[in-house]
Coordinates of all heavy atoms in Angstrom, one line a residue:
M19 N 0.9 -1.2 0.0 CA 0.0 0.0 0.0 C 0.9 1.2 0.0 O 1.9 1.3 0.7 CB -0.9 0.0 1.2 CG -1.8 1.2 1.4 SD -3.2 1.3 0.1 CE -4.3 0.0 0.7
I20 N 0.5 2.2 -0.8 CA 1.2 3.4 -0.9 C 0.4 4.5 -0.2 O -0.8 4.7 -0.4 CB 1.4 3.9 -2.4 CG1 2.1 2.8 -3.2 CG2 2.1 5.2 -2.5 CD1 3.6 2.7 -2.9
D21 N 1.1 5.4 0.6 CA 0.5 6.6 1.1 C 1.0 7.7 0.2 O 2.2 7.9 0.1 CB 0.9 6.8 2.6 CG 0.1 5.9 3.5 OD1 -1.1 6.0 3.4 OD2 0.7 5.2 4.3
L22 N 0.1 8.5 -0.3 CA 0.4 9.6 -1.2 C 0.1 10.9 -0.5 O -1.1 11.1 0.0 CB -0.4 9.5 -2.5 CG -0.3 10.8 -3.4 CD1 1.1 11.0 -3.9 CD2 -1.3 10.6 -4.5
Y23 N 1.1 11.8 -0.4 CA 0.9 13.1 0.3 C 0.9 14.1 -0.9 O 2.0 14.3 -1.5 CB 2.0 13.3 1.3 CG 2.0 12.3 2.4 CD1 2.6 11.0 2.2 CD2 1.4 12.6 3.6 CE1 2.5 10.1 3.2 CE2 1.3 11.6 4.6 CZ 1.9 10.4 4.4 OH 1.8 9.4 5.4
T24 N -0.2 14.8 -1.1 CA -0.3 15.6 -2.3 C -1.3 16.7 -2.1 O -1.9 16.9 -1.1 CB -0.7 14.7 -3.4 OG1 -0.5 15.4 -4.7 CG2 -2.1 14.2 -3.3
F25 N -1.4 17.5 -3.2 CA -2.4 18.6 -3.2 C -2.7 18.8 -4.7 O -2.0 18.2 -5.6 CB -1.8 19.9 -2.6 CG -2.9 20.9 -2.3 CD1 -3.9 20.6 -1.4 CD2 -2.9 22.2 -2.9 CE1 -4.9 21.5 -1.2 CE2 -3.9 23.1 -2.6 CZ -4.9 22.8 -1.7
T26 N -3.7 19.5 -5.0 CA -4.2 19.6 -6.4 C -3.4 20.7 -7.2 O -3.8 21.7 -7.5 CB -5.7 20.1 -6.4 OG1 -5.8 21.3 -5.7 CG2 -6.6 19.0 -5.8
T27 N -2.1 20.2 -7.5 CA -1.2 21.0 -8.3 C -0.7 20.1 -9.4 O -0.8 18.9 -9.3 CB -0.1 21.6 -7.5 OG1 0.8 20.5 -7.1 CG2 -0.5 22.4 -6.3
P28 N -0.1 20.7 -10.5 CA 0.4 19.8 -11.5 C 1.5 18.8 -11.0 O 1.4 17.6 -11.3 CB 1.1 20.8 -12.5 CG 0.2 22.0 -12.3 CD -0.1 22.1 -10.9
N29 N 2.4 19.2 -10.1 CA 3.3 18.2 -9.6 C 2.6 17.1 -8.7 O 3.0 16.0 -8.8 CB 4.4 18.9 -8.7 CG 5.5 19.6 -9.5 OD1 5.9 19.1 -10.6 ND2 5.9 20.8 -9.1
G30 N 1.6 17.6 -8.0 CA 0.9 16.6 -7.2 C 0.1 15.6 -8.1 O 0.1 14.4 -7.8
R31 N -0.4 16.1 -9.2 CA -1.2 15.2 -10.1 C -0.3 14.2 -10.8 O -0.8 13.1 -11.2 CB -2.0 16.1 -11.0 CG -3.1 16.8 -10.3 CD -4.0 17.6 -11.3 NE -5.0 18.3 -10.5 CZ -5.4 19.5 -10.7 NH1 -4.9 20.2 -11.7 NH2 -6.3 20.1 -10.0
Q32 N 0.9 14.5 -11.0 CA 1.8 13.6 -11.7 C 1.8 12.2 -10.9 O 1.7 11.2 -11.5 CB 3.3 14.1 -11.7 CG 3.5 15.2 -12.7 CD 5.0 15.5 -12.7 OE1 5.8 14.7 -13.2 NE2 5.4 16.7 -12.3
A33 N 2.0 12.3 -9.6 CA 2.0 11.1 -8.7 C 0.7 10.4 -8.8 O 0.6 9.2 -8.9 CB 2.4 11.5 -7.3
S34 N -0.4 11.2 -8.7 CA -1.8 10.5 -8.7 C -2.0 9.8 -10.0 O -2.5 8.7 -10.1 CB -2.8 11.6 -8.6 OG -2.7 12.3 -7.4
M35 N -1.6 10.5 -11.1 CA -1.8 9.8 -12.5 C -1.0 8.6 -12.6 O -1.5 7.6 -13.1 CB -1.4 10.8 -13.6 CG -2.4 12.0 -13.7 SD -1.8 13.3 -14.7 CE -1.9 12.5 -16.3
M36 N 0.2 8.6 -12.1 CA 1.1 7.4 -12.2 C 0.5 6.2 -11.3 O 0.5 5.1 -11.8 CB 2.5 7.7 -11.8 CG 3.5 6.5 -12.0 SD 3.5 6.0 -13.8 CE 5.1 5.3 -13.8
L37 N 0.0 6.6 -10.1 CA -0.6 5.5 -9.3 C -1.8 4.9 -10.0 O -2.0 3.7 -9.9 CB -1.0 6.1 -7.9 CG 0.2 6.3 -7.0 CD1 -0.1 7.3 -5.9 CD2 0.6 4.9 -6.4
E38 N -2.6 5.7 -10.7 CA -3.7 5.2 -11.4 C -3.2 4.3 -12.6 O -3.8 3.2 -12.8 CB -4.6 6.3 -11.9 CG -5.4 7.0 -10.8 CD -6.4 6.2 -10.2 OE1 -7.0 5.3 -10.9 OE2 -6.6 6.3 -8.9
E39 N -2.2 4.8 -13.3 CA -1.7 4.0 -14.4 C -1.2 2.6 -14.0 O -1.4 1.6 -14.7 CB -0.6 4.8 -15.1 CG -1.1 5.9 -15.9 CD -2.0 5.5 -17.1 OE1 -1.7 4.4 -17.7 OE2 -3.0 6.2 -17.4
V40 N -0.4 2.6 -12.9 CA 0.2 1.3 -12.4 C -0.8 0.5 -11.6 O -0.5 -0.7 -11.2 CB 1.5 1.5 -11.7 CG1 2.5 2.2 -12.6 CG2 1.4 2.3 -10.4
Q41 N -1.9 1.1 -11.3 CA -3.0 0.3 -10.6 C -2.6 -0.2 -9.2 O -3.0 -1.3 -8.9 CB -3.6 -0.7 -11.5 CG -4.2 -0.2 -12.7 CD -4.9 -1.2 -13.6 OE1 -4.7 -2.4 -13.4 NE2 -5.6 -0.8 -14.6
L42 N -1.8 0.6 -8.5 CA -1.4 0.2 -7.1 C -2.4 0.8 -6.2 O -2.9 1.9 -6.4 CB 0.0 0.7 -6.8 CG 1.2 0.0 -7.4 CD1 2.4 0.8 -7.1 CD2 1.3 -1.4 -7.0
P43 N -2.8 0.0 -5.1 CA -3.7 0.6 -4.1 C -2.9 1.7 -3.3 O -1.7 1.6 -3.0 CB -4.0 -0.6 -3.2 CG -2.9 -1.5 -3.4 CD -2.4 -1.3 -4.8
Y44 N -3.7 2.8 -3.1 CA -3.0 3.9 -2.3 C -4.0 4.7 -1.5 O -5.2 4.7 -1.9 CB -2.2 4.9 -3.3 CG -3.1 5.6 -4.3 CD1 -3.5 6.9 -4.1 CD2 -3.4 4.9 -5.5 CE1 -4.2 7.6 -5.1 CE2 -4.2 5.6 -6.5 CZ -4.6 6.9 -6.3 OH -5.3 7.6 -7.2
N45 N -3.5 5.3 -0.5 CA -4.3 6.3 0.3 C -3.8 7.7 0.1 O -2.6 7.9 0.0 CB -4.1 6.0 1.8 CG -4.6 4.6 2.3 OD1 -5.7 4.2 1.8 ND2 -3.9 3.9 3.1
V46 N -4.7 8.6 0.0 CA -4.4 10.0 -0.3 C -4.4 10.8 1.0 O -5.4 10.7 1.8 CB -5.3 10.6 -1.3 CG1 -5.0 12.1 -1.5 CG2 -5.3 9.9 -2.6
H47 N -3.4 11.5 1.3 CA -3.3 12.5 2.4 C -3.2 13.9 1.8 O -2.2 14.2 1.1 CB -2.1 12.2 3.3 CG -2.1 10.7 3.8 ND1 -2.7 10.4 5.0 CD2 -1.6 9.6 3.2 CE1 -2.5 9.0 5.1 NE2 -1.9 8.6 4.1
V48 N -4.2 14.7 2.0 CA -4.1 16.0 1.4 C -3.3 16.9 2.3 O -3.5 17.1 3.5 CB -5.6 16.6 1.3 CG1 -5.5 18.1 0.8 CG2 -6.4 15.8 0.4
I49 N -2.3 17.5 1.7 CA -1.4 18.5 2.3 C -1.7 19.9 1.7 O -1.3 20.2 0.6 CB 0.1 18.2 2.1 CG1 0.4 16.7 2.5 CG2 1.0 19.2 2.8 CD1 0.2 16.4 4.0
D50 N -2.5 20.6 2.4 CA -3.1 21.9 1.8 C -2.0 23.0 1.9 O -1.7 23.6 2.9 CB -4.3 22.3 2.6 CG -5.0 23.5 2.0 OD1 -4.4 24.2 1.1 OD2 -6.2 23.7 2.3
I51 N -1.3 23.1 0.8 CA -0.2 24.1 0.7 C -0.7 25.5 0.8 O 0.1 26.4 1.0 CB 0.7 23.9 -0.5 CG1 0.0 24.1 -1.8 CG2 1.3 22.5 -0.4 CD1 0.9 24.1 -3.0
T52 N -2.0 25.8 0.6 CA -2.5 27.1 0.8 C -2.7 27.5 2.2 O -2.9 28.6 2.6 CB -3.9 27.3 0.0 OG1 -4.9 26.5 0.7 CG2 -3.8 26.9 -1.4
K53 N -2.6 26.4 3.1 CA -2.7 26.7 4.6 C -1.4 26.3 5.2 O -1.3 26.0 6.4 CB -3.8 25.8 5.1 CG -5.2 26.3 4.6 CD -6.3 25.5 5.2 CE -7.7 26.1 4.7 NZ -8.8 25.2 4.8
D54 N -0.3 26.2 4.4 CA 1.1 26.0 5.0 C 1.2 24.6 5.6 O 2.1 24.4 6.5 CB 1.5 27.1 5.9 CG 1.9 28.4 5.2 OD1 2.1 28.3 3.9 OD2 2.0 29.4 5.8
K55 N 0.4 23.6 5.3 CA 0.5 22.3 5.9 C 1.7 21.6 5.5 O 2.1 20.6 6.2 CB -0.8 21.5 5.5 CG -2.1 22.1 6.0 CD -2.1 22.2 7.5 CE -3.5 22.7 8.0 NZ -3.5 23.0 9.4
Q56 N 2.4 22.0 4.5 CA 3.7 21.4 4.1 C 4.8 21.7 5.1 O 5.9 21.2 5.0 CB 4.1 21.8 2.7 CG 4.6 23.3 2.5 CD 3.4 24.2 2.3 OE1 2.3 24.1 2.8 NE2 3.7 25.3 1.5
F57 N 4.6 22.7 6.0 CA 5.6 23.1 6.9 C 5.4 22.5 8.3 O 6.1 22.9 9.3 CB 5.6 24.6 7.0 CG 6.0 25.3 5.7 CD1 5.1 26.1 5.1 CD2 7.2 25.1 5.1 CE1 5.4 26.7 3.9 CE2 7.6 25.7 3.9 CZ 6.6 26.5 3.3
T58 N 4.4 21.6 8.5 CA 4.2 21.0 9.8 C 5.4 20.0 10.1 O 5.9 19.4 9.2 CB 2.9 20.2 9.8 OG1 3.0 19.1 8.9 CG2 1.7 21.1 9.5
P59 N 5.7 19.8 11.4 CA 6.8 18.9 11.7 C 6.5 17.5 11.2 O 7.4 16.8 10.7 CB 6.8 18.9 13.2 CG 6.2 20.2 13.6 CD 5.2 20.5 12.5
E60 N 5.2 17.1 11.2 CA 4.9 15.7 10.7 C 5.2 15.6 9.2 O 5.7 14.5 8.8 CB 3.4 15.5 10.9 CG 3.0 15.4 12.4 CD 2.8 16.7 13.1 OE1 2.8 17.8 12.4 OE2 2.7 16.7 14.3
Y61 N 4.9 16.6 8.5 CA 5.2 16.5 7.0 C 6.7 16.7 6.7 O 7.2 16.0 5.8 CB 4.3 17.5 6.2 CG 4.5 17.2 4.7 CD1 4.0 16.0 4.2 CD2 5.2 18.0 3.9 CE1 4.2 15.6 2.9 CE2 5.4 17.7 2.5 CZ 4.9 16.5 2.0 OH 5.1 16.1 0.7
I62 N 7.4 17.6 7.5 CA 8.8 17.7 7.2 C 9.5 16.4 7.5 O 10.6 16.2 6.9 CB 9.3 18.9 8.1 CG1 8.8 20.2 7.5 CG2 10.8 18.9 8.2 CD1 9.1 21.4 8.4
A63 N 9.0 15.6 8.4 CA 9.6 14.3 8.7 C 9.5 13.4 7.5 O 10.3 12.5 7.3 CB 9.0 13.7 9.9
I64 N 8.5 13.7 6.6 CA 8.4 12.9 5.4 C 9.2 13.5 4.2 O 9.9 12.8 3.5 CB 6.9 12.8 5.0 CG1 6.1 12.0 6.1 CG2 6.7 12.2 3.6 CD1 4.6 12.2 6.0
N65 N 9.0 14.8 4.1 CA 9.8 15.5 3.0 C 10.4 16.7 3.6 O 9.8 17.8 3.8 CB 8.9 15.9 1.8 CG 9.7 16.5 0.7 OD1 10.9 16.8 0.9 ND2 9.1 16.8 -0.4
P66 N 11.7 16.7 3.9 CA 12.4 17.8 4.6 C 12.4 19.1 3.7 O 12.7 20.2 4.2 CB 13.8 17.3 4.9 CG 13.9 16.0 4.3 CD 12.6 15.5 3.8
N67 N 12.1 18.9 2.4 CA 12.0 20.1 1.5 C 10.7 20.8 1.6 O 10.5 21.9 0.9 CB 12.2 19.6 0.0 CG 13.6 19.1 -0.2 OD1 14.6 19.4 0.5 ND2 13.8 18.2 -1.2
S68 N 9.7 20.3 2.3 CA 8.4 20.9 2.5 C 7.7 21.1 1.2 O 7.1 22.2 1.0 CB 8.5 22.2 3.3 OG 8.9 22.0 4.6
K69 N 7.8 20.2 0.3 CA 7.1 20.3 -1.0 C 6.2 19.0 -1.2 O 6.6 17.9 -0.7 CB 8.1 20.3 -2.2 CG 9.1 21.4 -2.1 CD 8.5 22.7 -2.6 CE 9.7 23.8 -2.6 NZ 9.1 25.1 -2.8
I70 N 5.1 19.2 -1.9 CA 4.4 18.0 -2.3 C 4.8 17.7 -3.7 O 5.2 18.7 -4.5 CB 2.8 18.2 -2.1 CG1 2.3 19.3 -3.0 CG2 2.5 18.4 -0.7 CD1 1.8 18.9 -4.3
P71 N 4.7 16.5 -4.3 CA 4.2 15.3 -3.6 C 5.3 14.5 -2.9 O 6.5 14.7 -3.1 CB 3.6 14.5 -4.8 CG 4.6 14.8 -5.9 CD 4.9 16.3 -5.7
A72 N 4.8 13.6 -2.1 CA 5.7 12.6 -1.5 C 4.9 11.3 -1.3 O 3.7 11.3 -1.3 CB 6.2 13.0 -0.1
I73 N 5.6 10.2 -1.3 CA 4.9 8.9 -1.1 C 5.7 8.1 0.0 O 6.9 8.3 0.2 CB 4.8 8.0 -2.3 CG1 6.2 7.6 -2.9 CG2 3.9 8.7 -3.4 CD1 6.1 6.5 -4.0
I74 N 5.0 7.3 0.7 CA 5.6 6.2 1.5 C 5.1 4.9 1.1 O 3.8 4.7 1.0 CB 5.3 6.4 3.0 CG1 5.8 7.8 3.5 CG2 5.9 5.3 3.9 CD1 5.4 8.1 5.0
D75 N 6.0 4.0 0.7 CA 5.6 2.6 0.4 C 5.6 1.8 1.7 O 6.6 1.5 2.2 CB 6.6 2.1 -0.6 CG 6.2 0.7 -1.1 OD1 5.4 0.0 -0.4 OD2 6.8 0.2 -2.1
Q76 N 4.4 1.5 2.1 CA 4.3 0.9 3.4 C 4.8 -0.6 3.4 O 5.1 -1.2 4.4 CB 2.8 0.9 3.9 CG 2.2 2.3 4.2 CD 3.0 3.0 5.3 OE1 3.7 2.4 6.1 NE2 2.7 4.3 5.4
D77 N 4.9 -1.1 2.2 CA 5.4 -2.5 2.1 C 6.9 -2.6 2.3 O 7.4 -3.6 2.7 CB 5.0 -3.1 0.7 CG 3.5 -3.3 0.5 OD1 2.8 -3.3 1.6 OD2 3.0 -3.3 -0.6
T78 N 7.6 -1.5 2.0 CA 9.0 -1.5 2.1 C 9.6 -0.5 3.1 O 10.8 -0.5 3.4 CB 9.7 -1.2 0.7 OG1 9.3 0.1 0.4 CG2 9.2 -2.2 -0.3
G79 N 8.7 0.4 3.6 CA 9.1 1.5 4.5 C 9.9 2.6 3.7 O 10.5 3.4 4.4
T80 N 9.8 2.6 2.4 CA 10.5 3.6 1.6 C 9.8 4.9 1.4 O 8.6 4.8 1.1 CB 10.8 3.0 0.2 OG1 11.5 1.8 0.4 CG2 11.7 4.0 -0.6
T81 N 10.4 6.0 1.7 CA 9.8 7.3 1.5 C 10.5 7.9 0.2 O 11.7 7.8 0.1 CB 10.1 8.2 2.7 OG1 9.4 7.7 3.8 CG2 9.5 9.6 2.4
V82 N 9.7 8.5 -0.7 CA 10.2 9.1 -1.9 C 9.6 10.4 -2.1 O 8.4 10.6 -2.0 CB 10.0 8.2 -3.1 CG1 10.7 8.8 -4.4 CG2 10.4 6.7 -2.9
F83 N 10.4 11.4 -2.4 CA 9.9 12.8 -2.7 C 10.6 13.2 -4.0 O 11.5 12.6 -4.4 CB 10.0 13.8 -1.6 CG 11.3 13.9 -0.9 CD1 12.3 14.7 -1.4 CD2 11.5 13.2 0.2 CE1 13.5 14.8 -0.8 CE2 12.7 13.3 0.9 CZ 13.7 14.1 0.4
E84 N 10.1 14.3 -4.6 CA 10.5 14.8 -5.9 C 9.6 14.0 -6.9 O 9.7 12.8 -7.0 CB 11.9 14.7 -6.3 CG 12.8 15.7 -5.6 CD 12.5 17.1 -6.1 OE1 12.2 17.3 -7.3 OE2 12.6 18.1 -5.3
S85 N 8.8 14.7 -7.7 CA 7.8 14.0 -8.5 C 8.5 13.1 -9.5 O 8.0 12.0 -9.8 CB 6.9 15.0 -9.2 OG 7.7 16.0 -9.9
G86 N 9.6 13.5 -10.1 CA 10.3 12.6 -11.0 C 10.8 11.3 -10.4 O 10.7 10.2 -11.0
A87 N 11.3 11.4 -9.2 CA 11.8 10.3 -8.4 C 10.6 9.3 -8.1 O 10.7 8.1 -8.2 CB 12.5 10.7 -7.2
I88 N 9.5 10.0 -7.8 CA 8.3 9.2 -7.5 C 7.8 8.4 -8.7 O 7.5 7.2 -8.7 CB 7.1 10.1 -7.0 CG1 7.5 10.6 -5.6 CG2 5.8 9.3 -7.0 CD1 6.6 11.7 -5.1
L89 N 7.8 9.0 -9.9 CA 7.5 8.4 -11.1 C 8.4 7.2 -11.4 O 7.9 6.1 -11.8 CB 7.5 9.3 -12.3 CG 6.5 10.5 -12.3 CD1 6.6 11.4 -13.5 CD2 5.1 10.1 -12.0
I90 N 9.7 7.4 -11.3 CA 10.6 6.3 -11.5 C 10.4 5.2 -10.5 O 10.4 4.0 -10.9 CB 12.1 6.8 -11.5 CG1 12.3 7.7 -12.6 CG2 13.1 5.7 -11.4 CD1 13.6 8.5 -12.6
Y91 N 10.2 5.5 -9.2 CA 10.0 4.5 -8.2 C 8.8 3.6 -8.5 O 8.8 2.4 -8.5 CB 9.9 5.1 -6.8 CG 9.7 4.1 -5.7 CD1 10.8 3.5 -5.1 CD2 8.4 3.8 -5.3 CE1 10.6 2.6 -4.1 CE2 8.2 2.9 -4.2 CZ 9.4 2.3 -3.7 OH 9.2 1.3 -2.7
L92 N 7.7 4.3 -8.9 CA 6.4 3.6 -9.1 C 6.6 2.7 -10.4 O 6.0 1.7 -10.5 CB 5.3 4.5 -9.2 CG 4.9 5.3 -7.9 CD1 3.8 6.3 -8.1 CD2 4.5 4.3 -6.8
A93 N 7.3 3.2 -11.4 CA 7.5 2.4 -12.6 C 8.3 1.2 -12.3 O 8.0 0.1 -12.9 CB 8.2 3.3 -13.7
Ligands
GSH24 N1 10.8 19.6 -7.8 C1 9.7 19.3 -7.0 C2 8.8 20.5 -6.9 C3 7.6 20.3 -6.0 C4 6.9 21.6 -5.8 O1 7.3 22.7 -6.1 N2 5.7 21.4 -5.2 C5 4.9 22.6 -4.9 C6 3.5 22.4 -5.4 S1 3.4 22.1 -7.1 C7 4.9 22.8 -3.4 O2 4.9 21.9 -2.6 N3 4.8 24.1 -3.0 C8 4.8 24.5 -1.6 C9 5.9 25.4 -1.2 O3 6.7 25.7 -2.1 O4 5.8 25.9 -0.1 C10 8.9 18.1 -7.6 O5 9.0 17.9 -8.8 O6 8.3 17.3 -6.8

């Protein structure tokens, strides 16, 4: 299972589109960047760059951020 941390922006949608294409099950966690939710300590622990998107692969414990890296990981 993949946890996707994202918001409705082009970079965020890249990860969503790829998850749909590869048909992996995933949970969406909305990080509202209009309310600075990317700067919470909980989210900085996932992505120290405070940017969406990010994913956590719960099967391997792997965290990936940067949309291009997420696309490659999911492929
Ligand atoms: N190079 C990064 C860029 C990510 C990025 O800029 N995300 C924006 C939304 S599209 C963001 O999180 N902005 C919040 C901020 O800059 O505080 C990627 O491709 O993932």
